[in-house]
């Protein structure tokens, strides 16, 4: 009996530390500077850091992004964010080096917006927070309101993409099933299945103020 109890204790310890190792994130943002990031489009002075938060002063700037210097393929990304009233932003995944790209259609954009704002009432879920913009919407509405912190945990492994939004899984898809080009804003867009499987991670400028903190990544080899 004593030996069995020791073995059970050892297994429990291994499981505990195994889980801890799997949930450990490497910070992408040090809370003090924008080291490791660079502005890839739009003005640089709209991005600043204060009190452990990346602050986006994006009013009047409809297009641009702040991207990581590193490239990522398979990973789990954790990020907390909040958005201004009627605001819009996003998190780009697997962005290419192409300076002429529009990441919303050429990479992956996880939408961030004020779902309750007048500009978004009645919108299709593919345009609301927690969805892959213009492709697939979140299965549940989890937005806590403007000016309130929300959390995404995004997992990208090959073609599989999942999103946990404020503790609930709202996306669980295989990009290979989205293989048909589609029209959006009077232009044909490439399907999700054809978009890069490796690239930069970025925060989007889209005409409003937004805040980001506790950004971390766990790469999956």
């Amino acid at each position: 009996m004593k030996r069995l109890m020791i073995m059970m204790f050892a297994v429990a310890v291994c499981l505990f530390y195994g889980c801890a190792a799997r949930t450990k994130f490497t910070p992408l943002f040090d809370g003090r500077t924008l080291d490791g990031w660079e502005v890839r489009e739009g003005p640089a002075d709209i991005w600043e850091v204060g009190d452990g938060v990346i602050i986006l002063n994006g009013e009047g700037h409809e297009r641009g992004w702040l991207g990581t210097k590193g490239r990522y393929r398979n990973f789990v990304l954790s990020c907390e964010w909040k958005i201004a009233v009627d605001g819009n932003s996003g998190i780009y995944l697997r962005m290419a080096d192409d300076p002429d790209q529009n990441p919303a259609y050429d990479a992956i954009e996880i939408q961030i917006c004020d779902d309750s704002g007048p500009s978004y009432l009645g919108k299709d879920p593919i345009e609301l927070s927690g969805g892959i913009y213009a492709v697939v919407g979140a299965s549940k509405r989890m937005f806590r309101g403007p000016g309130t912190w929300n959390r995404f945990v995004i997992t990208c492994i090959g073609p599989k993409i999942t999103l946990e939004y404020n503790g609930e899984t709202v996306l669980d898809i295989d990009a290979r099933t989205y293989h048909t080009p589609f029209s959006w804003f009077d232009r044909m867009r490439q399907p999700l299945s054809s978009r890069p499987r490796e690239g930069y991670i970025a925060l989007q400028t889209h005409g409003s103020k937004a805040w980001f903190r506790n950004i971390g990544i766990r790469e999956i080899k």
Side-chain angles (χ1 to χ4, degrees), residues 139-209:
S139 62
K140 296 176 69 174
R141 300 285 291 276
M142 299 299 298
F143 183 60
R144 292 172 174 165
T148 303
W149 288 106
N150 296 268
R151 185 177 187 235
F152 284 164
V153 179
I154 306 161
T155 302
C156 294
I157 303 175
K160 293 282 290 180
I161 304 168
T162 62
L163 171 62
E164 184 182 288
Y165 185 178
N166 290 334
E168 296 277 352
T169 298
V170 298
L171 282 177
D172 187 359
I173 68 162
D174 188 324
R176 293 171 295 188
T177 64
Y178 298 85
H179 51 72
T180 304
F182 61 96
S183 178
W184 191 260
F185 284 99
D186 300 321
R187 289 180 55 191
M188 293 303 295
R189 311 293 180 174
Q190 66 171 322
L192 194 63
S193 61
S194 301
R195 302 183 192 183
R197 297 283 171 83
E198 180 177 345
Y200 305 104
I201 293 167
L203 310 176
Q204 182 196 30
T205 308
H206 198 62
S208 60
K209 193 161 187 173

Side-chain angles (χ1 to χ4, degrees), residues 1 6 9 23 26 33 45 54-55 60 67 80 93 95 107 113 125 131 139 144 150 161 166-167 184 195 197:
M1 176 63 74
I6 292 171
F9 176 77
T23 57
T26 300
T33 70
D45 61 0
I54 295 177
I55 303 166
E80 295 178 9
L93 309 171
M95 288 176 58
C113 67
S139 62
R144 292 172 174 165
N150 296 268
I161 304 168
N166 290 334
W184 191 260
R195 302 183 192 183
R197 297 283 171 83

